Amino acid sequence: MTSYYRNAIDDPPLLRAAFTTMAVTFIGLFLLLPLVTVFWQALGGGLDAVWDAITSHDALMAIRLTLLTAVITVPLNLVFGISAAWAIAKFDFHGKSLLTTLIDLPFSVSPVVAGLVYVLMFGLQGWLGPWLRDHDVKIIFALPGIVLATLFVTVPFVARELIPLMTDQGRAEEEAAISLGASGWSTFWRVTLPNIKWGLLYGVLLCNARAMGEFGAVSVVSGHINGLTNTMPLQVEVLYNDYEYVSAFAVASLLAFLALVTLVLKSFLEWQYADEIAATHRH
Amino acid sequence: MPLAVDSIRKRFGTYPALEGISFTAPQGAFIALLGPSGSGKTTLLRILGGLEFPDDGFVRFADLNWLTVPVRERRVGFVFQHYALFRHMTVAKNIAFGLAVQSRRERPTRQKIKQRVEELLSLVQLDGLGGRYPSQLSGGQRQRVALARALAIEPRMLLLDEPFGALDAKVRRELRGWLRGLQERLGITTVFVTHDQEEAFALADLVVVMNKGKIEQYGIPADVLRVPQTRFVADFLGGGIVGSPHK
């Protein structure tokens, strides 16, 4: 085929083919193949085996704990993310760059360290351990610890998504709203929030995916009590270490399925509301 | 409602933005703040609008200690440089905003708001475009939406920040004549910021020439043009106006 139109930035066809092949091969080998393997392995023992594995008592408890953790941490991150992004993007204050850096901390710190920090604070040998024990409050090896560790790891997702968006949009629209007589609250609901809702949704979806999938930090604080403090990722590891491959892959594939649902949901929303998303970016 | 601005000072950190600005203007005047960028004219406009607060000074307007009136209660029609239209709302929703956010007691009925929006749309000659989004309008149209939105709250004062800055020369000339006519009809005291001297002298009743946070000269256009009082004014005007004594 001869192309009659050539763009100034067109690369030679050979180079283009090479880059495309490289990208496709890389994604295929390192992302797609492992994912397919997970489902393949899970289904190796037949659908019944998968069903039995994910409806066993321990698995159901793990699913419940994972969903519960996500239900608690995602809304908290939503509120924190909006407040932090709002403050950073719309106001100047002392310590702003420090706050921006701190929000990124969970991205750079190993999740295991995050988990250990909570053990050091709330564990029996930790600072608050004796006081907590005397008052019969359980944090480590219980739901609160798991929520805290997950929260630490997922803090950046919503804020990171919103900060560039809100900075880019500036504060002119908010100023216009206030000079037209709107209260701060009404400005937020009518002007700020509608302008960021797509970025916010994206951040929430990513945050949710991470909250359900976190392993390292949760592993340290959970205590791995079967049917009690094991989340789905931990359950997968326990099953795998017990040589229960079919069950391990069954739970793993459920986890992978939840992640895929997240991605599909995101793509669907982007496709459905493409016009509106374009409109809320700078015209 | 005469406007009296008295010894306004404002610093941003160590940078002096305004160093003692004072002038008075009668009710209904069309006042141009003219000066190069960095002269403090936008800061002064934002102070009048309540978006910025001076470190020192006094403003009297509508028989009020103006600076103590909260932004929300000033009823100032502010037209921003890049219009700051609500991009997720239709033109009609944009214009209705100032009415829709009023407390339930003061808010007009939905029917009244709708009627008011129609009136304003036809006042700014945008009949039938109420259902469009700002991104679907031309620059001149957006500018007029911004103006209609500001007029919807029946402002006591109209503040325009480089209102024609983003428009091409032809649209600019058409719009400004129209705007002047409208302002005269409504009789609203209006302050507008510009760095374009031709625009300032063609439109304003009173011109405030500013430089580095100070007023270089203040008066009616004819006087400023005929007798520039400082070296700066003479040089600044020297560049453009036909018939200027320094040309």
Side-chain angles (χ1 to χ4, degrees), chain A residues 182-197:
Chain A
S183 63
W185 187 242
S186 153
T187 301
F188 177 76
W189 281 106
R190 288 166 184 263
V191 177
T192 309
L193 199 59
N195 272 339
I196 60 167
K197 67 180 173 195

Side-chain angles (χ1 to χ4, degrees), chain A residues 13-29:
Chain A
L14 199 67
L15 201 62
R16 250 185 301 165
F19 276 130
T20 315
T21 317
M22 221 149 75
V24 170
T25 315
F26 192 90
I27 289 178
L29 267 180

Side-chain angles (χ1 to χ4, degrees), chain A residues 263-275:
Chain A
L263 282 182
V264 168
L265 200 62
K266 176 189 149 266
S267 307
F268 173 77
L269 288 168
E270 277 175 353
W271 168 73
Q272 187 79 13
Y273 297 99
D275 292 347

Side-chain angles (χ1 to χ4, degrees), chain A residues 151-190:
Chain A
L151 212 51
F152 182 95
V153 176
T154 52
V155 146
F157 285 91
V158 176
R160 266 283 138 215
E161 195 62 41
L162 293 184
I163 290 168
L165 183 64
M166 287 171 95
T167 308
D168 182 46
Q169 288 177 349
R171 45 187 160 195
E173 286 183 46
E174 276 87 1
E175 287 181 344
I178 284 172
S179 80
L180 288 166
S183 63
W185 187 242
S186 153
T187 301
F188 177 76
W189 281 106
R190 288 166 184 263

Side-chain angles (χ1 to χ4, degrees), chain B:
Chain B
M1 291 180 249
L3 170 67
V5 175
D6 188 9
S7 323
I8 294 290
R9 287 172 196 283
K10 172 77 181 174
R11 299 178 84 86
F12 291 113
T14 57
Y15 176 75
L18 295 172
E19 299 190 271
I21 298 289
S22 307
F23 67 89
T24 57
Q27 149 66 24
F30 201 108
I31 305 146
L33 304 179
L34 174 66
S37 51
S39 57
K41 50 198 193 316
T42 294
T43 305
L44 182 57
L45 195 78
R46 289 170 61 84
I47 286 172
L48 292 174
L51 299 174
E52 210 88 65
F53 292 91
D55 302 325
D56 200 11
F58 195 76
V59 175
R60 187 146 196 95
F61 182 71
D63 283 330
L64 291 166
N65 181 353
W66 193 241
L67 297 179
T68 62
V69 181
V71 202
R72 297 181 54 201
E73 289 159 31
R74 287 197 192 189
R75 281 212 352 256
V76 158
F78 208 120
V79 175
F80 292 80
Q81 190 172 5
H82 300 289
Y83 319 132
L85 296 177
F86 307 125
R87 63 195 101 184
H88 62 285
M89 293 182 202
T90 61
V91 166
K93 283 263 163 64
N94 262 281
I95 296 174
F97 187 87
L99 302 171
V101 295
Q102 284 174 356
S103 67
R104 196 162 297 166
R105 212 154 9 94
E106 294 163 30
R107 190 178 3 170
T109 60
R110 195 169 292 185
Q111 198 59 42
K112 280 241 177 65
I113 292 181
K114 204 172 161 221
Q115 195 185 336
R116 183 98 181 96
V117 168
E118 291 300 323
E119 284 168 19
L120 284 161
L121 275 173
S122 94
L123 182 74
V124 298
Q125 299 163 353
L126 290 174
D127 305 76
L129 295 186
R132 298 263 189 100
Y133 282 90
S135 56
Q136 299 168 316
L137 301 179
S138 71
Q141 289 172 325
R142 281 183 210 169
Q143 212 264 358
R144 282 179 281 157
V145 174
L147 191 65
R149 182 177 71 175
L151 291 173
I153 56 170
E154 292 175 5
R156 298 191 270 199
M157 182 193 274
L158 201 54
L159 301 174
L160 314 164
D161 189 2
E162 297 274 3
F164 312 109
L167 305 174
D168 63 62
K170 183 171 166 289
V171 180
R172 181 189 299 216
R173 202 148 304 161
E174 283 168 12
L175 259 181
R176 75 183 190 200
W178 170 83
L179 176 71
R180 181 69 232 236
L182 186 70
Q183 188 265 345
E184 261 168 27
R185 208 147 31 99
L186 301 172
I188 307 172
T189 306
T190 301
V191 182
F192 87 105
V193 159
T194 182
H195 62 262
D196 179 344
Q197 43 171 305
E198 191 210 335
E199 193 167 285
F201 289 112
L203 276 178
D205 300 319
L206 291 160
V207 178
V208 183
V209 186
M210 292 178 68
N211 182 39
K212 292 185 179 159
K214 294 197 184 86
I215 293 184
E216 292 280 343
Q217 189 166 357
Y218 173 56
I220 61 170
D223 286 351
V224 177
L225 277 175
R226 200 166 345 106
V227 196
Q229 275 167 1
T230 66
R231 179 81 219 178
F232 172 82
V233 180
D235 286 347
F236 189 67
L237 300 187
I241 301 277
V242 182
S244 151
H246 292 271
K247 179 105 188 186

